Amino acid sequence: MSHVVAPRPSVTLAEVAKEAGVSPSTVSRILNGTAQVKATKAAQVRAAIDRLGYKPNAFARGLVTGASGSVGVLTQDIASPFYGDALSGIESGLMGSGYSPMIISGHWRTDDEEHAVELLLSRRVEALIVLGGQLPEDELRGLAGGLPIAVLGRRVEFDSPTSTSLALDNRRAAYDLVTYLLDRGHRRIGHVAGPPDHVDARDRLAGYRQALEDRGLPFLPDLVAQGDFHEPSGLIGTQQLVARHPDMTAIFSANDQMAYGARLALYRMGLRVPEDMSLVGFDDLPGSAYTTPPLTSVRQPMAEMGHWLARFVVAQLTGQTVEPFQPQLKLHLRESVAPRRFP
């Protein structure tokens, strides 16, 4: 027979004050960082807190100090596995800091993002982490005048040292990926592109084009199908490319989600991967190692970047320092690419 154990009564601030031999107001000021007391008295209070296991009420403290203990996170799509890794990293980076994430989506629409930021600011978030998006740089710089901001996936030059950005060289990574296909003998390479209003999609298209031109191959616009970073557009785009270029031997998808759609399209058309068509993606989502066959892709360290950005804003809020971080893209070679030999 199980028994329900009654929870231990919460230790009050008055009990801490009695244990430390000071007034409750002194304990409150020490906790809020506003007390001007001797180090020995502050140490007495800290020792009493440790002995009694006192946990300050964050909500009540926020009413007094005006601090919410929250870090706003503007993502683009909570359901996206790509942004999910970054959110997991942010959560782990904030763990144990006393700050909690408040997450809202902007859906890659400027109006929605601006509304989301207004909502977060109305909730008195103390810092802001922005994942991608379309907010103009001057708006981000303006926001940085009032609170620390950390941006992922875009290069933003801030005037304030309390704000920063982390961006990856998508163009170079796409260039290396297409060069890998060229080195394997492929010459007719299609591309399922991401939305043209996304800077990372434009950079990946530019890297694809540059790799072809550096090998003396022409860039053919009809070897590019327009996608939207979601699986159905990968399926449709691949059908279009195969119909236009039956001699195509490889497809570079601008992200893994569209590559999944491309894989389904090839299956329905009776084309084998990699025997009939090589296929590569971008992002190296966790599921890409388990597709049939496993997908060659470029890994973006989203979890690590999210973790570092969270630690960065906490450091700005607490007067600490954080080690610099330079994220690196990595090409993961798997069985979705086969060499192509021409007579």
Side-chain angles (χ1 to χ4, degrees):
M1 181 177 179
S2 61
H3 298 277
V4 176
V5 179
R8 180 182 175 183
S10 298
V11 177
T12 66
L13 186 141
E15 289 173 318
V16 172
K18 182 178 179 180
E19 177 75 12
V22 299
S23 68
S25 61
T26 298
V27 175
S28 178
R29 291 197 306 274
I30 289 173
L31 289 173
N32 295 332
T34 59
Q36 295 181 348
V37 298
K38 293 180 179 180
T40 53
K41 184 172 289 188
Q44 283 179 293
V45 171
R46 300 291 180 190
I49 288 172
D50 291 340
R51 286 195 300 273
L52 298 177
Y54 174 68
K55 302 293 183 183
N57 186 309
F59 177 74
R61 186 171 58 191
L63 293 177
V64 175
T65 65
S68 67
S70 298
V71 171
V73 181
L74 173 60
T75 184
Q76 300 306 317
D77 183 359
I78 290 176
S80 166
F82 176 70
Y83 285 112
D85 280 352
L87 293 174
S88 294
I90 290 169
E91 185 178 44
S92 70
L94 293 177
M95 193 172 297
S97 69
Y99 292 92
S100 301
M102 185 179 294
I103 303 169
I104 190 167
S105 292
H107 310 109
W108 287 103
R109 292 190 290 267
T110 303
D111 289 347
D112 286 356
E113 291 179 42
E114 290 176 342
H115 175 73
V117 170
E118 289 175 2
L119 180 60
L120 290 170
L121 294 177
S122 73
R123 300 295 178 89
R124 300 191 305 183
V125 296
E126 298 183 52
L128 184 63
I129 299 175
V130 179
L131 308 183
Q134 308 283 359
L135 283 176
E137 289 190 19
D138 58 344
E139 288 190 25
L140 291 170
R141 282 191 286 267
L143 289 168
L147 75 172
I149 293 183
V151 180
L152 188 153
R154 297 171 58 185
R155 184 71 65 191
V156 181
E157 297 295 334
F158 288 103
D159 298 325
S160 170
T162 61
S163 295
T164 192
S165 65
L166 283 181
L168 295 163
D169 194 344
N170 283 274
R171 179 171 182 154
R172 179 69 199 189
Y175 179 95
D176 290 344
L177 188 56
V178 175
T179 297
Y180 170 72
L181 293 173
L182 293 167
D183 289 343
R184 303 284 281 173
H186 295 276
R187 293 296 178 268
R188 190 71 77 182
I189 303 170
H191 179 47
V192 182
D197 59 341
H198 290 213
V199 63
D200 48 356
R202 295 196 301 270
D203 286 347
R204 293 170 198 178
L205 175 60
Y208 159 80
R209 178 171 185 164
Q210 189 64 51
L212 295 175
E213 293 177 346
D214 283 356
R215 290 294 180 92
L217 299 173
F219 169 75
L220 303 177
D222 63 351
L223 264 173
V224 177
Q226 187 59 61
D228 63 6
F229 280 157
H230 294 95
E231 293 87 346
S233 69
L235 185 148
I236 295 169
T238 297
Q239 292 172 333
Q240 295 171 344
L241 290 174
V242 171
R244 292 198 295 252
H245 286 277
D247 58 339
M248 183 176 60
T249 63
I251 295 174
F252 163 39
S253 172
N255 77 342
D256 284 6
Q257 287 176 259
M258 292 194 299
Y260 300 160
R263 178 68 185 89
L264 178 57
L266 295 170
Y267 168 78
R268 288 178 174 174
M269 289 185 284
L271 295 174
R272 300 167 300 167
V273 177
E275 293 87 351
D276 302 317
M277 187 76 68
S278 290
L279 178 64
V280 298
F282 205 108
D283 293 339
D284 196 32
L285 298 178
S288 294
Y290 301 96
T291 57
T292 306
L295 181 68
T296 291
S297 188
V298 174
R299 180 180 181 271
Q300 301 197 69
M302 297 299 291
E304 293 92 331
M305 290 192 292
H307 181 93
W308 186 86
L309 290 176
R311 300 310 304 169
F312 174 86
V313 296
V314 168
Q316 307 315 306
L317 293 170
T318 58
Q320 301 173 356
T321 58
V322 61
E323 291 294 322
F325 174 60
Q326 182 57 52
Q328 299 294 328
L329 292 162
K330 182 178 181 181
L331 178 58
H332 279 193
L333 305 178
R334 300 192 180 101
E335 296 97 313
S336 65
V337 176
R340 182 65 52 163
R341 299 286 181 256
F342 294 95

